[in-house]
Amino acid sequence: MFVTSAFAEESAPAAEGTAGAGAETHAGTAVPGEAHGTFPPFDPATFPSQLLWLAITFGLFYLFLKRVVMPRLGGIIDVRNDRITQDLDHAAKLKGEADAAVAAYEQELAEAKTKANAIGQQANDAAKAEAEIARKKVEAALDKKLGEAEASIASIKANAMKEVGSIAEDTASAIVEALVGGKASKAEIAAAVKSVAR
């Protein structure tokens, strides 16, 4: 601790007097010229100087805030506001582009659906027309085959009917011979077969 020689000379006799008398061990800490028992900031004698230094400190701190800190904070806030505004404008622009892209996509999708429906309808109509043509061809072929089959059946029936007459005459002649024991003339048997066939 740094002590001036004048202070050491003044405090030395006081310290000797208190130490010799068995006084308190802290008696050497007393400062000459001060009232005993008062804390210096609470001493009314020092209020004017304290108020002066408070005003000077507050003024300097206020000037520091006004000239240095606040302009920097204002600049930072302005930069952030500009950046946020730019970001919002950019986001609005991108949203507009996205909305336009979605609208174009939906329009193209609607056009594609319309084209697909038209193509599907054309394919359906073409398939129906082809099926109708194929059905008519099959019906014509079946009608032709049916006609040929009917003609063939008619000719077979006609041939069979011709042969049935001769078979009936032969059978009737054999029955008459077996039952009566005699022979009948072919004219009589043919007349009898014709009368039964009618």
PDB file of all heavy atoms in Angstrom, residues 38-63:
ATOM      1  N   THR A  38     -19.796   7.598   9.895  1.00  0.00           N
ATOM      2  CA  THR A  38     -20.627   7.920   8.737  1.00  0.00           C
ATOM      3  C   THR A  38     -19.976   7.343   7.483  1.00  0.00           C
ATOM      4  O   THR A  38     -18.798   7.574   7.217  1.00  0.00           O
ATOM      5  CB  THR A  38     -20.780   9.441   8.562  1.00  0.00           C
ATOM      6  OG1 THR A  38     -21.243   9.982   9.794  1.00  0.00           O
ATOM      7  CG2 THR A  38     -21.753   9.774   7.483  1.00  0.00           C
ATOM      8  N   PHE A  39     -20.806   6.631   6.703  1.00  0.00           N
ATOM      9  CA  PHE A  39     -20.337   6.062   5.425  1.00  0.00           C
ATOM     10  C   PHE A  39     -20.237   7.203   4.415  1.00  0.00           C
ATOM     11  O   PHE A  39     -21.196   7.960   4.253  1.00  0.00           O
ATOM     12  CB  PHE A  39     -21.318   4.979   4.985  1.00  0.00           C
ATOM     13  CG  PHE A  39     -20.900   4.223   3.768  1.00  0.00           C
ATOM     14  CD1 PHE A  39     -19.697   3.526   3.723  1.00  0.00           C
ATOM     15  CD2 PHE A  39     -21.711   4.197   2.646  1.00  0.00           C
ATOM     16  CE1 PHE A  39     -19.334   2.823   2.621  1.00  0.00           C
ATOM     17  CE2 PHE A  39     -21.338   3.486   1.525  1.00  0.00           C
ATOM     18  CZ  PHE A  39     -20.148   2.791   1.506  1.00  0.00           C
ATOM     19  N   PRO A  40     -19.087   7.378   3.735  1.00  0.00           N
ATOM     20  CA  PRO A  40     -18.864   8.573   2.903  1.00  0.00           C
ATOM     21  C   PRO A  40     -19.941   8.835   1.859  1.00  0.00           C
ATOM     22  O   PRO A  40     -20.311   9.991   1.679  1.00  0.00           O
ATOM     23  CB  PRO A  40     -17.509   8.318   2.261  1.00  0.00           C
ATOM     24  CG  PRO A  40     -16.814   7.394   3.179  1.00  0.00           C
ATOM     25  CD  PRO A  40     -17.878   6.566   3.835  1.00  0.00           C
ATOM     26  N   PRO A  41     -20.495   7.859   1.146  1.00  0.00           N
ATOM     27  CA  PRO A  41     -21.526   8.214   0.179  1.00  0.00           C
ATOM     28  C   PRO A  41     -22.790   8.737   0.843  1.00  0.00           C
ATOM     29  O   PRO A  41     -23.577   9.442   0.213  1.00  0.00           O
ATOM     30  CB  PRO A  41     -21.816   6.904  -0.554  1.00  0.00           C
ATOM     31  CG  PRO A  41     -20.590   6.096  -0.388  1.00  0.00           C
ATOM     32  CD  PRO A  41     -20.018   6.483   0.935  1.00  0.00           C
ATOM     33  N   PHE A  42     -22.979   8.420   2.106  1.00  0.00           N
ATOM     34  CA  PHE A  42     -24.174   8.893   2.802  1.00  0.00           C
ATOM     35  C   PHE A  42     -23.906  10.183   3.605  1.00  0.00           C
ATOM     36  O   PHE A  42     -24.796  10.675   4.291  1.00  0.00           O
ATOM     37  CB  PHE A  42     -24.718   7.822   3.740  1.00  0.00           C
ATOM     38  CG  PHE A  42     -25.182   6.594   3.000  1.00  0.00           C
ATOM     39  CD1 PHE A  42     -24.978   5.331   3.550  1.00  0.00           C
ATOM     40  CD2 PHE A  42     -25.819   6.686   1.784  1.00  0.00           C
ATOM     41  CE1 PHE A  42     -25.403   4.198   2.893  1.00  0.00           C
ATOM     42  CE2 PHE A  42     -26.250   5.554   1.118  1.00  0.00           C
ATOM     43  CZ  PHE A  42     -26.047   4.299   1.659  1.00  0.00           C
ATOM     44  N   ASP A  43     -22.710  10.687   3.510  1.00  0.00           N
ATOM     45  CA  ASP A  43     -22.350  11.907   4.240  1.00  0.00           C
ATOM     46  C   ASP A  43     -22.925  13.107   3.490  1.00  0.00           C
ATOM     47  O   ASP A  43     -22.609  13.322   2.313  1.00  0.00           O
ATOM     48  CB  ASP A  43     -20.828  12.010   4.340  1.00  0.00           C
ATOM     49  CG  ASP A  43     -20.388  13.181   5.201  1.00  0.00           C
ATOM     50  OD1 ASP A  43     -21.248  13.781   5.872  1.00  0.00           O
ATOM     51  OD2 ASP A  43     -19.182  13.457   5.201  1.00  0.00           O
ATOM     52  N   PRO A  44     -23.786  13.924   4.114  1.00  0.00           N
ATOM     53  CA  PRO A  44     -24.401  15.057   3.421  1.00  0.00           C
ATOM     54  C   PRO A  44     -23.389  16.076   2.918  1.00  0.00           C
ATOM     55  O   PRO A  44     -23.666  16.820   1.983  1.00  0.00           O
ATOM     56  CB  PRO A  44     -25.304  15.685   4.480  1.00  0.00           C
ATOM     57  CG  PRO A  44     -25.541  14.633   5.501  1.00  0.00           C
ATOM     58  CD  PRO A  44     -24.369  13.731   5.451  1.00  0.00           C
ATOM     59  N   ALA A  45     -22.225  16.098   3.446  1.00  0.00           N
ATOM     60  CA  ALA A  45     -21.218  17.067   3.005  1.00  0.00           C
ATOM     61  C   ALA A  45     -20.715  16.722   1.604  1.00  0.00           C
ATOM     62  O   ALA A  45     -20.241  17.596   0.880  1.00  0.00           O
ATOM     63  CB  ALA A  45     -20.061  17.082   3.996  1.00  0.00           C
ATOM     64  N   THR A  46     -20.813  15.432   1.191  1.00  0.00           N
ATOM     65  CA  THR A  46     -20.305  15.023  -0.131  1.00  0.00           C
ATOM     66  C   THR A  46     -21.403  14.946  -1.184  1.00  0.00           C
ATOM     67  O   THR A  46     -21.137  14.593  -2.329  1.00  0.00           O
ATOM     68  CB  THR A  46     -19.608  13.651  -0.028  1.00  0.00           C
ATOM     69  OG1 THR A  46     -20.550  12.682   0.418  1.00  0.00           O
ATOM     70  CG2 THR A  46     -18.414  13.726   0.895  1.00  0.00           C
ATOM     71  N   PHE A  47     -22.624  15.284  -0.863  1.00  0.00           N
ATOM     72  CA  PHE A  47     -23.727  15.185  -1.827  1.00  0.00           C
ATOM     73  C   PHE A  47     -23.524  16.066  -3.056  1.00  0.00           C
ATOM     74  O   PHE A  47     -23.741  15.604  -4.178  1.00  0.00           O
ATOM     75  CB  PHE A  47     -25.056  15.526  -1.158  1.00  0.00           C
ATOM     76  CG  PHE A  47     -25.648  14.407  -0.350  1.00  0.00           C
ATOM     77  CD1 PHE A  47     -26.794  14.634   0.418  1.00  0.00           C
ATOM     78  CD2 PHE A  47     -25.103  13.140  -0.332  1.00  0.00           C
ATOM     79  CE1 PHE A  47     -27.346  13.625   1.176  1.00  0.00           C
ATOM     80  CE2 PHE A  47     -25.659  12.134   0.431  1.00  0.00           C
ATOM     81  CZ  PHE A  47     -26.772  12.371   1.192  1.00  0.00           C
ATOM     82  N   PRO A  48     -23.112  17.322  -2.935  1.00  0.00           N
ATOM     83  CA  PRO A  48     -22.963  18.142  -4.140  1.00  0.00           C
ATOM     84  C   PRO A  48     -21.945  17.567  -5.109  1.00  0.00           C
ATOM     85  O   PRO A  48     -22.178  17.532  -6.324  1.00  0.00           O
ATOM     86  CB  PRO A  48     -22.505  19.502  -3.607  1.00  0.00           C
ATOM     87  CG  PRO A  48     -22.959  19.541  -2.191  1.00  0.00           C
ATOM     88  CD  PRO A  48     -22.939  18.131  -1.716  1.00  0.00           C
ATOM     89  N   SER A  49     -20.811  17.084  -4.633  1.00  0.00           N
ATOM     90  CA  SER A  49     -19.822  16.513  -5.559  1.00  0.00           C
ATOM     91  C   SER A  49     -20.330  15.205  -6.172  1.00  0.00           C
ATOM     92  O   SER A  49     -20.093  14.923  -7.343  1.00  0.00           O
ATOM     93  CB  SER A  49     -18.493  16.303  -4.843  1.00  0.00           C
ATOM     94  OG  SER A  49     -18.610  15.303  -3.844  1.00  0.00           O
ATOM     95  N   GLN A  50     -21.049  14.449  -5.366  1.00  0.00           N
ATOM     96  CA  GLN A  50     -21.613  13.189  -5.906  1.00  0.00           C
ATOM     97  C   GLN A  50     -22.643  13.480  -6.991  1.00  0.00           C
ATOM     98  O   GLN A  50     -22.674  12.814  -8.031  1.00  0.00           O
ATOM     99  CB  GLN A  50     -22.255  12.371  -4.776  1.00  0.00           C
ATOM    100  CG  GLN A  50     -21.262  11.756  -3.820  1.00  0.00           C
ATOM    101  CD  GLN A  50     -21.962  10.986  -2.701  1.00  0.00           C
ATOM    102  OE1 GLN A  50     -23.139  10.685  -2.781  1.00  0.00           O
ATOM    103  NE2 GLN A  50     -21.208  10.669  -1.654  1.00  0.00           N
ATOM    104  N   LEU A  51     -23.488  14.470  -6.766  1.00  0.00           N
ATOM    105  CA  LEU A  51     -24.496  14.837  -7.771  1.00  0.00           C
ATOM    106  C   LEU A  51     -23.836  15.377  -9.033  1.00  0.00           C
ATOM    107  O   LEU A  51     -24.295  15.100 -10.155  1.00  0.00           O
ATOM    108  CB  LEU A  51     -25.479  15.860  -7.191  1.00  0.00           C
ATOM    109  CG  LEU A  51     -26.420  15.329  -6.113  1.00  0.00           C
ATOM    110  CD1 LEU A  51     -27.258  16.461  -5.547  1.00  0.00           C
ATOM    111  CD2 LEU A  51     -27.312  14.240  -6.665  1.00  0.00           C
ATOM    112  N   LEU A  52     -22.768  16.150  -8.884  1.00  0.00           N
ATOM    113  CA  LEU A  52     -22.049  16.660 -10.046  1.00  0.00           C
ATOM    114  C   LEU A  52     -21.484  15.505 -10.872  1.00  0.00           C
ATOM    115  O   LEU A  52     -21.647  15.454 -12.089  1.00  0.00           O
ATOM    116  CB  LEU A  52     -20.922  17.601  -9.599  1.00  0.00           C
ATOM    117  CG  LEU A  52     -20.030  18.123 -10.737  1.00  0.00           C
ATOM    118  CD1 LEU A  52     -20.829  19.038 -11.649  1.00  0.00           C
ATOM    119  CD2 LEU A  52     -18.802  18.818 -10.180  1.00  0.00           C
ATOM    120  N   TRP A  53     -20.807  14.572 -10.206  1.00  0.00           N
ATOM    121  CA  TRP A  53     -20.238  13.433 -10.939  1.00  0.00           C
ATOM    122  C   TRP A  53     -21.332  12.534 -11.528  1.00  0.00           C
ATOM    123  O   TRP A  53     -21.158  11.972 -12.611  1.00  0.00           O
ATOM    124  CB  TRP A  53     -19.294  12.626 -10.047  1.00  0.00           C
ATOM    125  CG  TRP A  53     -17.983  13.309  -9.879  1.00  0.00           C
ATOM    126  CD1 TRP A  53     -17.491  13.899  -8.775  1.00  0.00           C
ATOM    127  CD2 TRP A  53     -17.014  13.487 -10.909  1.00  0.00           C
ATOM    128  NE1 TRP A  53     -16.260  14.453  -9.010  1.00  0.00           N
ATOM    129  CE2 TRP A  53     -15.935  14.205 -10.338  1.00  0.00           C
ATOM    130  CE3 TRP A  53     -16.927  13.134 -12.254  1.00  0.00           C
ATOM    131  CZ2 TRP A  53     -14.812  14.569 -11.059  1.00  0.00           C
ATOM    132  CZ3 TRP A  53     -15.790  13.482 -12.967  1.00  0.00           C
ATOM    133  CH2 TRP A  53     -14.756  14.202 -12.375  1.00  0.00           C
ATOM    134  N   LEU A  54     -22.468  12.417 -10.858  1.00  0.00           N
ATOM    135  CA  LEU A  54     -23.593  11.649 -11.419  1.00  0.00           C
ATOM    136  C   LEU A  54     -24.092  12.303 -12.706  1.00  0.00           C
ATOM    137  O   LEU A  54     -24.327  11.621 -13.706  1.00  0.00           O
ATOM    138  CB  LEU A  54     -24.723  11.543 -10.400  1.00  0.00           C
ATOM    139  CG  LEU A  54     -25.994  10.845 -10.912  1.00  0.00           C
ATOM    140  CD1 LEU A  54     -25.700   9.380 -11.189  1.00  0.00           C
ATOM    141  CD2 LEU A  54     -27.116  10.997  -9.906  1.00  0.00           C
ATOM    142  N   ALA A  55     -24.234  13.632 -12.688  1.00  0.00           N
ATOM    143  CA  ALA A  55     -24.712  14.337 -13.890  1.00  0.00           C
ATOM    144  C   ALA A  55     -23.701  14.212 -15.019  1.00  0.00           C
ATOM    145  O   ALA A  55     -24.067  13.977 -16.182  1.00  0.00           O
ATOM    146  CB  ALA A  55     -24.972  15.807 -13.547  1.00  0.00           C
ATOM    147  N   ILE A  56     -22.410  14.364 -14.704  1.00  0.00           N
ATOM    148  CA  ILE A  56     -21.378  14.254 -15.742  1.00  0.00           C
ATOM    149  C   ILE A  56     -21.366  12.830 -16.315  1.00  0.00           C
ATOM    150  O   ILE A  56     -21.335  12.639 -17.533  1.00  0.00           O
ATOM    151  CB  ILE A  56     -19.992  14.637 -15.170  1.00  0.00           C
ATOM    152  CG1 ILE A  56     -19.952  16.131 -14.865  1.00  0.00           C
ATOM    153  CG2 ILE A  56     -18.884  14.248 -16.129  1.00  0.00           C
ATOM    154  CD1 ILE A  56     -18.717  16.570 -14.092  1.00  0.00           C
ATOM    155  N   THR A  57     -21.412  11.816 -15.467  1.00  0.00           N
ATOM    156  CA  THR A  57     -21.390  10.419 -15.928  1.00  0.00           C
ATOM    157  C   THR A  57     -22.630  10.104 -16.762  1.00  0.00           C
ATOM    158  O   THR A  57     -22.545   9.475 -17.829  1.00  0.00           O
ATOM    159  CB  THR A  57     -21.315   9.460 -14.717  1.00  0.00           C
ATOM    160  OG1 THR A  57     -20.206   9.824 -13.908  1.00  0.00           O
ATOM    161  CG2 THR A  57     -21.176   8.040 -15.164  1.00  0.00           C
ATOM    162  N   PHE A  58     -23.787  10.555 -16.275  1.00  0.00           N
ATOM    163  CA  PHE A  58     -25.023  10.305 -17.023  1.00  0.00           C
ATOM    164  C   PHE A  58     -24.973  10.996 -18.383  1.00  0.00           C
ATOM    165  O   PHE A  58     -25.376  10.418 -19.399  1.00  0.00           O
ATOM    166  CB  PHE A  58     -26.232  10.807 -16.215  1.00  0.00           C
ATOM    167  CG  PHE A  58     -27.524  10.549 -16.906  1.00  0.00           C
ATOM    168  CD1 PHE A  58     -28.085   9.280 -16.907  1.00  0.00           C
ATOM    169  CD2 PHE A  58     -28.197  11.579 -17.561  1.00  0.00           C
ATOM    170  CE1 PHE A  58     -29.287   9.041 -17.551  1.00  0.00           C
ATOM    171  CE2 PHE A  58     -29.392  11.331 -18.213  1.00  0.00           C
ATOM    172  CZ  PHE A  58     -29.942  10.063 -18.206  1.00  0.00           C
ATOM    173  N   GLY A  59     -24.477  12.255 -18.405  1.00  0.00           N
ATOM    174  CA  GLY A  59     -24.381  12.984 -19.673  1.00  0.00           C
ATOM    175  C   GLY A  59     -23.456  12.278 -20.649  1.00  0.00           C
ATOM    176  O   GLY A  59     -23.755  12.136 -21.840  1.00  0.00           O
ATOM    177  N   LEU A  60     -22.287  11.840 -20.162  1.00  0.00           N
ATOM    178  CA  LEU A  60     -21.351  11.126 -21.047  1.00  0.00           C
ATOM    179  C   LEU A  60     -21.940   9.805 -21.534  1.00  0.00           C
ATOM    180  O   LEU A  60     -21.812   9.444 -22.710  1.00  0.00           O
ATOM    181  CB  LEU A  60     -20.023  10.891 -20.312  1.00  0.00           C
ATOM    182  CG  LEU A  60     -19.179  12.130 -20.036  1.00  0.00           C
ATOM    183  CD1 LEU A  60     -17.960  11.757 -19.199  1.00  0.00           C
ATOM    184  CD2 LEU A  60     -18.745  12.775 -21.347  1.00  0.00           C
ATOM    185  N   PHE A  61     -22.603   9.091 -20.631  1.00  0.00           N
ATOM    186  CA  PHE A  61     -23.223   7.819 -21.033  1.00  0.00           C
ATOM    187  C   PHE A  61     -24.337   8.061 -22.060  1.00  0.00           C
ATOM    188  O   PHE A  61     -24.469   7.329 -23.037  1.00  0.00           O
ATOM    189  CB  PHE A  61     -23.768   7.101 -19.796  1.00  0.00           C
ATOM    190  CG  PHE A  61     -24.297   5.736 -20.071  1.00  0.00           C
ATOM    191  CD1 PHE A  61     -23.464   4.707 -20.485  1.00  0.00           C
ATOM    192  CD2 PHE A  61     -25.654   5.462 -19.936  1.00  0.00           C
ATOM    193  CE1 PHE A  61     -23.952   3.450 -20.746  1.00  0.00           C
ATOM    194  CE2 PHE A  61     -26.163   4.204 -20.213  1.00  0.00           C
ATOM    195  CZ  PHE A  61     -25.303   3.199 -20.612  1.00  0.00           C
ATOM    196  N   TYR A  62     -25.109   9.143 -21.845  1.00  0.00           N
ATOM    197  CA  TYR A  62     -26.178   9.483 -22.786  1.00  0.00           C
ATOM    198  C   TYR A  62     -25.596   9.833 -24.147  1.00  0.00           C
ATOM    199  O   TYR A  62     -26.092   9.375 -25.180  1.00  0.00           O
ATOM    200  CB  TYR A  62     -27.011  10.649 -22.229  1.00  0.00           C
ATOM    201  CG  TYR A  62     -28.071  11.115 -23.186  1.00  0.00           C
ATOM    202  CD1 TYR A  62     -29.245  10.386 -23.352  1.00  0.00           C
ATOM    203  CD2 TYR A  62     -27.907  12.272 -23.939  1.00  0.00           C
ATOM    204  CE1 TYR A  62     -30.214  10.799 -24.235  1.00  0.00           C
ATOM    205  CE2 TYR A  62     -28.868  12.695 -24.830  1.00  0.00           C
ATOM    206  CZ  TYR A  62     -30.031  11.965 -24.976  1.00  0.00           C
ATOM    207  OH  TYR A  62     -30.994  12.360 -25.856  1.00  0.00           O
ATOM    208  N   LEU A  63     -24.532  10.646 -24.172  1.00  0.00           N
ATOM    209  CA  LEU A  63     -23.889  10.991 -25.446  1.00  0.00           C
ATOM    210  C   LEU A  63     -23.319   9.754 -26.126  1.00  0.00           C
ATOM    211  O   LEU A  63     -23.412   9.612 -27.357  1.00  0.00           O
ATOM    212  CB  LEU A  63     -22.778  12.034 -25.208  1.00  0.00           C
ATOM    213  CG  LEU A  63     -23.246  13.448 -24.888  1.00  0.00           C
ATOM    214  CD1 LEU A  63     -22.050  14.348 -24.573  1.00  0.00           C
ATOM    215  CD2 LEU A  63     -24.038  14.019 -26.063  1.00  0.00           C
TER     216      LEU A  63
END
